[in-house]
């Protein structure tokens, strides 16, 4: 009887550990963005923070979801639009062709194997883009992703590309998110 009780307790501990790995399904909403300097991305003559320069970036959302031993990170980020279509050339080609990038649209960027078992970081890998057409995305994979305040806040640091004042810039972008829901 004691052997059965011990086995049951061991089984419960294992289930509890698996639940902890499988339970994370968090959605984070963008609070603010800090860049290494202000850029006039929207060509209005005023250099302000990135949220004011690209209002659509305010709709940026991050979902972190654990499935088995892999953590998936889905980052929705604003991508450049040309003629009401997503960018079809690299930023460099668009710059050379003098395309007018004046609007942005939110696009999904999925990554996996980064926040496995909370604090242990692994190499970040880009999964296949969810878009089936061959648009060129400007979003660069993050250089760091940190969960803070008991996973209620998320900070993502990345280097991004924009065309500003007829030149290509590569600002360091630090995005701050707060959890919306936790399941």
């Amino acid at each position: 009887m004691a052997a059965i009780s011990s086995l049951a307790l061991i089984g419960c501990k294992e289930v509890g550990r698996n639940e902890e790995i499988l339970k994370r399904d968090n959605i984070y909403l963008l609070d603010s963005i800090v860049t290494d300097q202000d850029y006039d991305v929207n060509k209005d003559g005023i250099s302000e923070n990135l949220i004011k320069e690209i209002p659509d970036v305010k709709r940026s959302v991050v979902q972190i979801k654990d499935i088995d031993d892999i953590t998936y990170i889905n980052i929705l980020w604003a991508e450049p639009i040309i003629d009401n279509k997503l960018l079809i050339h690299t930023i460099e080609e668009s710059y050379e062709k003098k395309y007018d990038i004046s609007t942005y649209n939110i696009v999904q960027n999925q990554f996996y194997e980064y926040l496995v078992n909370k604090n242990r970081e692994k190499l970040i890998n880009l999964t296949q883009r969810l878009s089936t057409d061959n648009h060129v995305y400007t979003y660069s994979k993050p250089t760091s992703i940190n969960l803070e305040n008991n996973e209620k806040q998320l900070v993502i640091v990345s280097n991004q590309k924009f065309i500003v004042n007829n030149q290509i810039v590569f600002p360091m972008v630090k995005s701050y998110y707060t959890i919306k829901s936790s399941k």
Side-chain angles (χ1 to χ4, degrees), residues 37-50:
Q37 68 181 51
D38 289 337
Y39 296 96
D40 183 16
V41 178
N42 64 0
K43 302 176 203 160
D44 66 356
I46 302 168
S47 296
E48 296 191 61
N49 69 57
L50 208 53

Side-chain angles (χ1 to χ4, degrees), residues 96-156:
E96 287 174 17
K97 294 179 186 229
K98 299 191 184 315
Y99 282 127
D100 182 26
I101 297 173
S102 56
T103 59
Y104 288 76
N105 194 15
I106 297 294
V107 173
Q108 295 188 58
N109 297 279
Q110 279 198 327
F111 301 92
Y112 69 98
E113 286 188 356
Y114 196 83
L115 296 168
V116 179
N117 295 332
K118 293 188 180 175
N119 296 322
R120 193 178 82 210
E121 294 183 6
K122 284 188 171 185
L123 292 176
I124 190 166
N125 296 295
L126 178 62
T127 63
Q128 183 176 0
R129 300 280 185 176
L130 295 184
S131 175
T132 55
D133 39 18
N134 293 319
H135 293 300
V136 177
Y137 294 98
T138 62
Y139 189 82
S140 298
K141 67 183 178 182
T143 55
S144 70
I145 298 175
N146 293 308
L147 289 166
E148 299 176 354
N149 194 17
N150 201 23
E151 296 195 3
K152 290 185 171 111
Q153 278 137 354
L154 174 69
V155 179
I156 297 177

